[in-house]
Every structure is written in C-alpha cells, then in structure tokens.
Amino acid sequence: MDVSSLKNLLVIEDNIGDARLVKEILRDTEYDNYELTFVHDLDELKEFSKSKFQVILLDLHISDIEPTTTFNRVNRLFQSTPIIILTGLKDDELAAKIVRQGAQDYLVKGTFDSDTLQRSIKYAIYRKASEKRLAKQKITSRRFKDRADNFESESIRLTSINKSKDVFLSIASHQLRTPASVVKQYIGLFLDGFAGEIDDKQKKYLKTAFDSNERQLQIINDLLRVAKLDAGHVTLRRVPVDLVSLMQNILEDHNVILSTRKHTVEFSHDETKVVANIDENNIRMVFENLLDNANKYSDEGALVRVEVEQKGRWVFVRVIDSGIGITKEDQAKLFQKFSRIDDSFTYAPNGSGLGLYWAKEIVKLHGGDIHLESIKGTGSTFEIKLPH
Ligand code: ADP
C-alpha cells in the first residue's frame, strides 16, 4: 500500500502530553501532507460527525468514561473508519477485548515508535477495507442464496401444481371415459335393434345422441393421451415399419370420412417401401390426426395430397391440404396445448386443440420433428420428419 496515501486522521486524546507525543511520532513517519485533527473529549466529536477520516487513534481512557463505552460511541459515530486503540501499560487484556469488538489494532503508549505507528496505520486501513469488502460479498452471497432458495421453493411449488394437474386430468378423464363408453354401448344396442324394433324418428334421435357421445369420447381420449404424455408415461415400442403400407392402410380406413365431404386424396411415394423404426400405434395416430385436420379444415370437395419420401437418414411424410390455411402469427401457437384458431371453430366446433401438441411431442420422442408451412386462405403443409 502507498504510505503517502494518508490524507487525514483523527486523534482522540485528553492528555495534552500524550497528544503532543503522538504528534511528534507522526512527524517522524513517512506520511506527508496529511490533515491532523485533535479532539480532547467525546462531546467535541459531535461537530465532526459528518467528517470522513481515514483512521482514528483513540485513547481508551477519556475523562472518567468506561473504556468500552468510549470505544462503542466512537465506533458507532465513525462506522466505516478503522480505529487504533492507545492504551496504558497494564491494559493488555482490555485492549484485546476491544480489538475483538472491532478495533483494528492497539498500541501501548510510550512503547511505540514511528515505524510501529506507520505499520499499524497502514494495516488498520487495509484490514478495514478488506472487512468492508468481505461484508459486501457476504451480503451479495446471502442475496444469491435467498434468491436460489426462492427459485427452489417456487420450482417445487410449480412441480407439485403440475403433478396435481396431471393426476386431476388423468382421474377426471378415466372417470368420464367409463360412463361415456357405457352410454355408447347401450345406444349402439338400441340402434342395432337389440332392445326391440325402433321407428325412424327414434333412430334419428338415437343417432344424434350416438354422434355427440362419440365426440365426447374423442375429447376424453385426447385429454387422456396428453395427461399420459405429460406424466412421462409414454414408452415407445419401436419396430421397423413400412410407412407406405401404413399410410395406405390409414387412407383406406379414412375413405368413408373423406368421401363424405367429397375430398379427393392423392398419395405419392418415391419408393415402394419406406421403412422407419417407429412405434406404429403412436405414429399411426399422428398421421390420422393430420389427415383428420386436413379433412376438417378444408371446404367440401378439396384436394388432399399425401407424400412419403426418403432422403438420406430421414424419412418425410407430408399431408398437404388446400384448406383454410393459417397465418404466420397463429402458426407459432398451434403446437401448444389447447390452442385453436378462431376461424376453425366454424369448421370443427368440437376440437380440443390437443392433437397437434400431442403429435409434435410424440414425433420429438422419436428424434424427429413436425414442420408447418401455410398460407392463409390457400392451404397448409404439415411435414413430419423421422429418422430412417
Ligand atoms: P383440434 O383440431 O382438435 O382443435 P389440433 O391440435 O389438431 O386440435 O389443431 C389445433 C388447431 O390448429 C385447430 O383447432 C385449428 O385451428 C388448427 N389447424 C390444425 N390443422 C389445420 C389445418 N390443416 N388447416 C388449418 N388449421 C389447422
């Protein structure tokens, strides 16, 4: 440390002789150009309460005040200033006690010279600065710790909310599905004539009930699938599957629905067989979901194209429709849970907004992705990319 850096110091000493001695010793140090302030009793200190000193030399025995009280009063008034105690010969124990309370050092009057004083001042300033730095670091690290604790408890809270939500969804869906399935079976029995002859009017009413129940079951199934996925309970059973014949099979199954709305489907594939290592059940549901959407969100008589292509280590499956299309802004939201675009309500009022979220997560579990390109009013291309 630069010794010439002493700018000012305060000496609190009620004995004129001792004060003069300190002044003499200071003069013999290497310090130069410093401002020296002498105070002879504690009451005088008040007028310096706003002053900043670099170091204080404090005689412990001022007037008849108890030494620790003297130190505490000065220390309180000049909290950030290092204090060196000046003691009498027999005050070793007392001096050590006061150093423990926060004084930087102590010097026994009549035994120290200019070198000792200079060294003491230098290290008192240095130690006080280190203490301040340490205190600051402690506050900062305590703040970090508090913040980390907050994050941890917040994350525990959110995880638990999320878990309760998953449990709620799963229980609610299971409890809803069983009675809804029973309703379906009994309406089916009526429709098939197992409960006796029914006339056309009764049949019409029962058919409406059957269709509504079917939609209800579809939504319950969507909720169940997503609850299972979010709870991490989806395990893929991957086997090599030919995507061309899988898609042909799906299209045959969907033929009735597609033709009801007079849609034309064109299926193209560059190879006769395109094999990928997939969980067939789950990927089948992904393809079906995209086909259903192409069907739902297109006007009657529209063209739907399906492509299967192999490129290097990837296979691509595209479902291309000429339907209502999706704006850029909405495209960003589509793969989130419960996300539906306003104008799709007129096309399919009963959608759950869960299909695309589920589909994307399932494809991602396979190491692939779903990509969407769409122009509002023109149509959409959903491209599934899967590892070969
Ligand atoms: P759902 O169809 O049950 O609402 P999805 O998750 O499958 O749920 O789709 C979410 C939303 O994305 C739909 O509600 C619709 O607004 C939009 N969407 C999906 N596919 C298409 C498509 N081919 N054309 C236009 N909009 C679509």
Side-chain angles (χ1 to χ4, degrees), residues 235-380:
T235 319
L236 300 181
R237 285 185 190 83
R238 297 174 80 154
V239 286
V241 174
D242 173 22
L243 299 184
V244 175
S245 42
L246 174 65
M247 190 53 92
Q248 256 152 1
N249 190 276
I250 295 172
L251 289 173
E252 276 160 28
D253 284 356
H254 275 63
N255 200 20
V256 180
I257 306 170
L258 289 162
S259 57
T260 323
R261 301 203 60 223
K262 300 189 181 68
H263 289 322
T264 315
V265 182
E266 275 179 16
F267 180 31
S268 64
H269 42 96
D270 54 352
E271 312 272 341
T272 42
K273 253 182 159 199
V274 175
V275 178
N277 215 21
I278 54 161
D279 180 314
E280 186 171 349
N281 276 341
N282 280 311
I283 291 296
R284 170 184 268 270
M285 283 193 272
V286 170
F287 292 167
E288 284 177 343
N289 185 261
L290 296 189
L291 267 176
D292 279 343
N293 283 350
N295 183 41
K296 282 192 293 190
Y297 303 114
S298 301
D299 286 321
E300 214 173 84
L303 172 72
V304 178
R305 284 191 294 129
V306 178
E307 294 174 358
V308 176
E309 187 191 0
Q310 184 181 329
K311 241 191 216 169
R313 57 186 208 90
W314 298 101
V315 293
F316 296 90
V317 176
R318 295 179 202 96
V319 177
I320 306 158
D321 66 54
S322 46
I324 58 175
I326 307 150
T327 61
K328 271 258 162 313
E329 201 190 350
D330 285 332
Q331 286 174 33
K333 298 185 271 184
L334 272 201
F335 294 94
Q336 290 162 16
K337 255 180 268 183
F338 302 110
S339 150
R340 304 203 72 207
I341 302 166
D342 283 349
D343 56 4
S344 61
F345 284 88
T346 43
Y347 283 79
N350 300 303
S352 64
L354 289 171
L356 284 181
Y357 165 77
W358 180 85
K360 184 149 182 145
E361 294 305 310
I362 289 293
V363 171
K364 282 207 305 215
L365 279 181
H366 279 80
D369 206 355
I370 301 187
H371 178 72
L372 165 64
E373 260 174 39
S374 185
I375 299 172
K376 182 85 195 144
T378 303
S380 312

Side-chain angles (χ1 to χ4, degrees), residues 10-287:
L10 169 68
V11 180
I12 306 169
E13 173 62 83
D14 62 349
N15 182 306
I16 308 277
D18 286 347
R20 192 170 301 138
L21 207 64
V22 169
K23 205 172 181 175
E24 291 302 316
I25 297 171
L26 272 169
R27 195 171 294 146
D28 287 343
T29 63
E30 290 172 37
Y31 294 129
D32 219 353
N33 287 332
Y34 54 87
E35 196 182 303
L36 181 60
T37 307
F38 267 104
V39 165
H40 299 289
D41 68 62
L42 295 189
D43 290 339
E44 259 184 82
L45 274 182
K46 281 185 200 123
E47 64 181 276
F48 296 102
S49 61
K50 294 258 173 336
S51 311
K52 285 247 176 287
F53 296 104
Q54 243 176 318
V55 68
I56 295 171
L57 299 183
L58 169 65
D59 174 18
L60 266 192
H61 299 279
I62 298 277
S63 317
D64 290 330
I65 304 169
E66 209 269 318
T68 35
T69 310
T70 304
F71 171 74
N72 286 334
R73 276 176 66 180
V74 176
N75 197 28
R76 249 197 318 273
L77 210 58
F78 300 97
Q79 272 175 15
S80 55
T81 312
I83 300 173
I84 300 168
I85 303 296
L86 300 175
T87 70
L89 257 180
K90 294 195 175 99
D91 279 347
D92 247 19
E93 231 171 76
L94 173 66
K97 181 180 161 194
I98 295 201
V99 166
R100 278 198 299 277
Q101 284 179 5
Q104 293 303 328
D105 198 1
Y106 71 94
L107 298 170
V108 179
K109 286 182 196 175
T111 67
F112 64 90
D113 58 10
S114 56
D115 277 352
T116 320
L117 179 60
Q118 187 170 308
R119 205 172 323 121
S120 182
I121 290 176
K122 183 172 152 182
Y123 285 107
I125 295 173
Y126 179 73
R127 261 201 308 271
K128 188 76 182 179
S130 305
E131 274 174 14
K132 270 198 252 173
R133 250 197 322 272
L134 213 67
K136 234 186 207 165
Q137 278 168 1
K138 261 190 194 155
I139 292 172
T140 316
S141 76
R142 199 176 317 127
R143 272 198 206 128
F144 272 127
K145 196 179 169 303
D146 287 351
R147 222 177 288 169
D149 287 350
N150 282 347
F151 276 135
E152 200 182 328
S153 58
E154 185 60 7
S155 135
I156 291 170
R157 195 179 71 83
L158 291 177
T159 311
S160 129
I161 291 176
N162 212 24
K163 248 199 191 130
S164 326
K165 179 215 71 185
D166 288 344
V167 172
F168 167 77
L169 262 184
S170 168
I171 291 176
S173 307
H174 275 112
Q175 307 310 335
L176 285 173
R177 191 158 73 155
T178 313
S181 304
V182 175
V183 170
K184 182 178 165 156
Q185 284 161 21
Y186 279 91
I187 300 177
L189 288 177
F190 270 109
L191 281 170
D192 292 341
F194 284 101
E197 280 292 302
I198 50 169
D199 61 29
D200 285 350
K201 196 172 178 185
Q202 287 168 330
K203 202 176 234 169
K204 194 178 144 208
Y205 291 163
L206 280 171
K207 182 75 178 63
T208 310
F210 188 86
D211 289 348
S212 287
N213 172 262
E214 187 75 0
R215 281 200 298 277
Q216 186 185 10
L217 272 169
Q218 184 56 50
I219 290 178
I220 295 170
N221 283 341
D222 283 356
L223 282 169
L224 259 176
R225 275 193 304 178
V226 167
K228 198 171 156 193
L229 177 84
D230 285 352
H233 291 162
V234 173
T235 319
L236 300 181
R237 285 185 190 83
R238 297 174 80 154
V239 286
V241 174
D242 173 22
L243 299 184
V244 175
S245 42
L246 174 65
M247 190 53 92
Q248 256 152 1
N249 190 276
I250 295 172
L251 289 173
E252 276 160 28
D253 284 356
H254 275 63
N255 200 20
V256 180
I257 306 170
L258 289 162
S259 57
T260 323
R261 301 203 60 223
K262 300 189 181 68
H263 289 322
T264 315
V265 182
E266 275 179 16
F267 180 31
S268 64
H269 42 96
D270 54 352
E271 312 272 341
T272 42
K273 253 182 159 199
V274 175
V275 178
N277 215 21
I278 54 161
D279 180 314
E280 186 171 349
N281 276 341
N282 280 311
I283 291 296
R284 170 184 268 270
M285 283 193 272
V286 170
F287 292 167

